[in-house]
Amino acid sequence: MTATDRSIELIQAAAQAAADKLAHDIIAYDVSDVLSITDAFLLASAPNDRQVKSIVDEIEERLNKELGAKPVRREGDREARWVLLDYVDIVVHVQHSEERVFYALERLWKDCPQLELPADAVATAGKAEEHAKTLAAEVDLDGELS
């Protein structure tokens, strides 16, 4: 079994919405062969809670406006460290960068095929690492901002 056309359409729209809000490391997996509850997962991250919320809001708005899709469940909104949007056909995970590293969902789904994403979403690969390096460069050896 593979992800349905509808699932792929949702994934691509959600990935573009996330990229438009400057999400980091956007990736999608076809999990239809290993899970019966959904076809695909979209993973994205951001360096702060406010940006996580912004990405989630944009995904929700875009999928509703363009595709008439509303999540059946939204979790993690209060803390904005890891927000999950469940659209039944797809599940979107938007994580704070620290949670993304700690939970490493990519390790769990690495054997599943990756789904093709819009060019803007593909271009986000490695952005979290770039951001971390930039922050580290701003901190001197004493641990203070330079």
Side-chain angles (χ1 to χ4, degrees):
M1 181 182 237
T2 59
T4 65
D5 290 343
R6 174 68 173 169
S7 298
I8 292 170
E9 180 181 39
L10 290 167
I11 285 286
Q12 291 186 344
Q16 184 62 55
D20 290 349
K21 287 295 180 175
L22 306 177
H24 296 169
D25 300 317
I26 303 168
I27 192 165
Y29 294 100
D30 180 339
V31 296
S32 60
D33 284 341
V34 293
L35 292 176
S36 60
I37 57 170
T38 193
D39 283 348
F41 278 169
L42 180 75
L43 309 177
S45 56
N48 61 62
D49 302 352
R50 188 180 338 186
Q51 192 173 355
V52 168
K53 281 186 174 192
S54 177
I55 292 164
V56 168
D57 290 345
E58 182 68 17
I59 291 170
E60 236 184 324
E61 184 178 324
R62 184 97 44 104
L63 293 187
N64 186 20
K65 186 177 179 183
E66 294 178 5
L67 302 171
K70 293 183 180 180
V72 296
R73 191 174 77 207
R74 181 176 176 155
E75 294 183 8
D77 217 15
R78 190 170 304 153
E79 299 82 25
R81 301 290 292 181
W82 180 351
V83 180
L84 179 144
L85 296 172
D86 183 352
Y87 286 90
V88 180
D89 294 327
I90 70 167
V91 175
V92 177
H93 299 268
V94 182
Q95 298 175 298
H96 189 286
S97 299
E98 293 170 1
E99 270 66 15
R100 179 87 179 257
V101 169
F102 183 79
Y103 290 101
L105 295 179
E106 291 91 338
R107 279 195 335 237
L108 293 173
W109 307 111
K110 68 179 179 210
D111 294 334
C112 295
Q114 286 188 31
L115 293 171
E116 190 172 322
L117 297 176
D120 291 344
V122 172
T124 67
K127 293 289 185 189
E129 188 175 342
E130 280 179 36
H131 181 73
K133 286 180 182 177
T134 301
L135 287 179
E138 293 174 0
V139 177
D140 66 22
L141 295 176
D142 295 328
E144 297 176 8
L145 290 176
S146 32

